[in-house]
Amino acid sequence: MPVTVTFHDHLPPHHAAEQLRRDAAAGLTSRPKVLPPKWFYDKTGSELFERITTLPEYYPTRAEREILAERAPEIVAATGCRTLVELGSGSSEKTRLLLTALTAAREDRGEGRYDGAAYVALDVSEDALRDACQALAEDYSGLVVTGVCADFETQLGTLPEDPEGRLVAFLGGTIGNLDPGQRARFFRDLRGRLGAGDRFLLGADLVKSPDVLVPAYDDAAGVTAAFNHNVLDVLNNGLGADFRHDDFEHVAVWDAANEWIEMRLRAQRDVLVGLPAIDLVVAFDAGEELRTEISAKFRRDGLAAELGAAGFSPAGWWTDGEGRFSLSLWSPAEM
Ligand code: SAH
Ligand code: AVI
């Protein structure tokens, strides 16, 4: 069987560089200072994230994999889709459980296991995307694999259609890295692009004790701290900035009112940073924080309300044995 990988780059270097300039100029001059979490994921950041997923404290990946290992055939059977689309696909590791179930279901229906079956991965991280697509195409020979390097907040229009139905998966709890306004826009945008035969599979982390949540974002081995600090290297490499890791401490706090974890970088002393590419010098007072990520945690009712408001109907709900993480399936509602 031929190995078929197609790659579409909708984030050419000049486009990504312009986005980074804009986000840094806006975020580092606002109060409090903020950066969008998508800038974590250069090659090093994507590798650090993969290390996070293996940490004893970071339960979401294991919990979601547990659900998929038990339920992927049931989830896939509930959709009948031919194409699996994944947003923010990263290493596409857990995806294998869905792909195996999807292709097995086709065979059970008497169709060729791979005839017309397709996987489309969309991610901003070009390195992670290329590696994941190549590995999948080799291991699932005959599956048509397409990598789309694009931003799921603004470029969902780049996704290919399939009249026989697409299952759009958004795994890992990445939805929690969007704030409520961004989530509402994302859900509405996605809903507007789905046909009646398409389905949406959402992985969302659930509210639980801060005794479990905080260590998941501040692990003993310091891998999450390195992941957080890496965004400073992204600014140094992309904008010629002179951030020093030692000037900033990794901080993870549970915001009980918003039910989200915030990751921040806290200045250890007064710090002046130059960003020549955007002609900016930024001053941090000692103790001042740069918010680098929110990671919202969800309740079933809240998710149903958000997705319902965007035009989705519930089609399935699964959690791991300890009730830590959810996978939910959504159909486009009649509009
Ligand atoms: N889904 C994988 C990876 C999660 S890490 C898992 O469950 O393990 C989050 C992934 O989303 C990273 O690969 C990152 O590059 C990607 N990502 C973050 N923001 C994005 C955006 N705005 N558009 C597209 N991809 C994004
Ligand atoms: C990708 N995303 C769901 C991760 C999360 O848990 O919010 C990113 C991460 N940040 C710190 N650790 C992992």
Side-chain angles (χ1 to χ4, degrees), residues 38 41 49 64 86 88-90 94 122-125 150-153 171-172 174:
K38 72 175 175 197
Y41 299 96
F49 176 74
E64 190 178 44
E86 185 175 11
S89 43
K94 284 166 290 169
L122 180 147
D123 205 291
V124 280
S125 182
D151 187 326
F152 54 58
E153 284 199 86
L171 303 180
T174 305

Side-chain angles (χ1 to χ4, degrees), residues 37 40-41 49 52-53 55 58 60 88 171-177 203 205 216-219 224 227-228 250 261 263 293-297 325:
F40 282 133
Y41 299 96
F49 176 74
I52 288 174
T53 64
L55 293 170
Y58 193 77
L171 303 180
T174 305
I175 189 63
N177 300 136
D205 197 10
Y217 292 82
D218 193 7
D219 62 281
T224 311
F227 175 70
N228 199 5
H250 165 68
I261 288 279
M263 289 212 317
E293 183 182 69
I294 65 163
S295 190
K297 308 304 167 190
F325 197 93

